[in-house]
Amino acid sequence: MAKDIGIDLGTASVLVFVRGKGIVLNEPSVVALDKNTGKLLKVGVEAQAMLGRTPGNIIAIRPLREGVISDYDMTERMLREFIHKVAGVSIFKPRVIICVPSGITEVEERAVIDAGISAGARKVYLIEEPVAAAIGAGIDIAKPDGHMVVDIGGGTADIAVISLGGVVESASIKIAGDQLNEAVVKYMRRKHNLLVGERTAEEMKKQIGCVFPKDEEETMDVKGRCLLTGLPKVVAVSSTEMMDAFEEPVERIMEAIHSVLERTPPELVADISTNGIVMTGGGSLVSGFDKLVAARTGIHTIIAEDAISCVALGTGKSLETLNSMQDGTMNLSRRKQMS
């Protein structure tokens, strides 16, 4: 019998959860293919190593942009590889739950479902990221009790207030980890006349990135190409500079959190101020994010224990409810309205 599979289809990485086994795969959402023949060469970790380093005939691409499919064909091929990797060859096709951003349109939903079916799934269900993140963070979402989840991934930040198993208020903005990296690249160009790549920006974000003043200043030597001379150059960058670089995207995320709180019914706001705000996703691990949210909202904020895997774990736990689903239910987060 084919195992049910949960997939966190992220802009930056894909996590796959197999029922009864847990998370069995965590690889970057990158595909490398031969431009001349269209042949798929590598997927995941091996393809990521090729980003920015490929000869003319090989291109390494990320088929998902800002949380949604930007290259349908590549997404389907990538999903097929990953499903094949975890499910092997079986005459039974697995049922699959795929995570999607909360602001997804019906057309985008359809594209995800079609890609899943084409990649070898018997049936595809969707679940909204903040709902999956809440389940993965250990929140009992079935109770009539308001919880706020802020999921900052690679391509989207999803903010949602959840009660009685569904989303009451939400916002999904296309500002997340990737935009933080872009902000670093722009800042280095503007401030230091230094051209750095995406991977260097990612390293800087992880090592010295912060959005709230650190107790101790940290610095890092950054290598890049000087825009004035065209030659390699090394610049020392401090964590305070990183805070300046992140200012604009972080401000947008804070505004989205604020607007969701403003639209939330007062009883649920009271619940949230008691329960606190839970942050998940790789982007929430940038130093000081929880402190910044707490300082701006006045609500106690924590980062979930396994922030990066929360969405995948929640998707995995949702697999247990599949047998009780009505046929025709596609989006599990909206099942209340559909049943």
Side-chain angles (χ1 to χ4, degrees):
M1 189 65 195
K3 292 269 189 210
D4 293 334
I5 295 173
I7 300 175
D8 173 10
L9 189 63
T11 308
S13 49
V14 174
L15 281 80
V16 179
F17 184 108
V18 173
R19 193 169 176 181
K21 290 184 183 174
I23 294 174
V24 293
L25 182 137
N26 179 355
E27 296 208 14
S29 334
V30 183
V31 180
L33 75 155
D34 189 316
K35 203 161 60 176
N36 301 338
T37 62
K39 185 170 176 279
L40 195 70
L41 301 173
K42 300 281 183 216
V43 169
V45 176
E46 293 165 322
Q48 191 189 35
M50 298 179 172
L51 272 180
R53 297 199 167 109
T54 56
N57 65 319
I58 298 172
I59 49 169
I61 52 171
R62 291 169 66 173
L64 294 137
R65 279 268 156 229
E66 299 171 337
V68 292
I69 296 174
S70 62
D71 186 325
Y72 178 83
D73 185 41
M74 284 302 122
T75 304
E76 184 214 306
R77 287 162 80 172
M78 179 174 77
L79 272 176
R80 179 173 292 155
E81 285 291 315
F82 287 148
I83 290 174
H84 181 72
K85 221 176 201 177
V86 299
V89 180
S90 167
I91 48 169
F92 297 108
K93 291 181 170 184
R95 289 183 302 180
V96 177
I97 295 184
I98 299 178
C99 253
V100 291
S102 55
I104 193 167
T105 64
E106 280 185 24
V107 174
E108 290 163 345
E109 278 190 3
R110 194 72 250 168
V112 174
I113 292 166
D114 290 347
I117 299 282
S118 305
R122 171 161 50 110
K123 197 147 194 194
V124 175
Y125 297 91
L126 305 179
I127 185 167
E128 290 178 26
E129 274 165 17
V131 175
I135 298 170
I139 296 170
D140 182 357
I141 64 165
K143 291 181 179 171
D145 191 19
H147 290 276
M148 187 175 212
V149 176
V150 178
D151 177 53
I152 304 174
T156 57
D158 284 276
I159 301 113
V161 173
I162 297 163
S163 177
L164 286 169
V167 175
V168 180
E169 276 300 338
S170 69
S172 179
I173 57 169
K174 294 174 171 30
I175 304 277
D178 286 353
Q179 284 67 33
L180 293 178
N181 292 350
E182 281 171 27
V184 172
V185 173
K186 284 178 187 163
Y187 179 85
M188 294 303 290
R189 173 178 277 185
R190 192 176 67 240
K191 182 86 190 288
H192 295 288
N193 281 319
L194 193 75
L195 192 63
V196 295
E198 204 178 306
R199 292 179 67 171
T200 305
E202 175 84 20
E203 275 308 305
M204 291 166 71
K205 179 176 75 179
K206 284 180 180 170
Q207 284 191 36
I208 58 165
C210 67
V211 295
F212 197 79
K214 284 193 172 189
D215 298 336
E216 279 181 35
E217 183 86 287
E218 289 179 17
T219 58
M220 172 183 173
D221 285 341
V222 178
K223 298 187 185 90
R225 186 170 80 227
C226 177
L227 288 166
L228 303 175
T229 63
L231 299 171
K233 181 180 166 185
V234 179
V235 173
V237 180
S238 69
S239 48
T240 307
E241 284 187 88
M242 292 294 280
M243 218 160 80
D244 292 345
F246 289 153
E247 188 178 1
E248 194 189 333
V250 168
E251 215 34 65
R252 297 273 303 277
I253 294 171
M254 294 311 302
E255 281 166 17
I257 293 173
H258 205 146
S259 80
V260 170
L261 279 170
E262 278 178 351
R263 298 196 307 270
T264 302
E267 283 80 7
L268 293 179
V269 172
D271 290 344
I272 293 164
S273 62
T274 307
N275 296 330
I277 294 172
V278 177
M279 296 188 76
T280 62
S284 67
L285 299 177
V286 174
S287 175
F289 231 134
D290 51 339
K291 290 177 184 162
L292 180 71
V293 174
R296 291 285 193 86
T297 59
I299 300 170
H300 173 63
T301 304
I302 60 158
I303 292 171
E305 199 174 307
D306 194 351
I308 292 177
S309 309
C310 266
V311 173
L313 291 169
T315 310
K317 285 182 187 167
S318 307
L319 291 169
E320 290 156 25
T321 63
L322 278 188
N323 292 331
S324 63
M325 283 296 135
Q326 291 179 307
D327 257 14
T329 303
M330 279 306 172
N331 195 321
L332 305 190
S333 318
R334 300 191 193 132
R335 60 172 181 252
K336 292 281 171 294
Q337 294 92 308
M338 298 180 81
S339 55

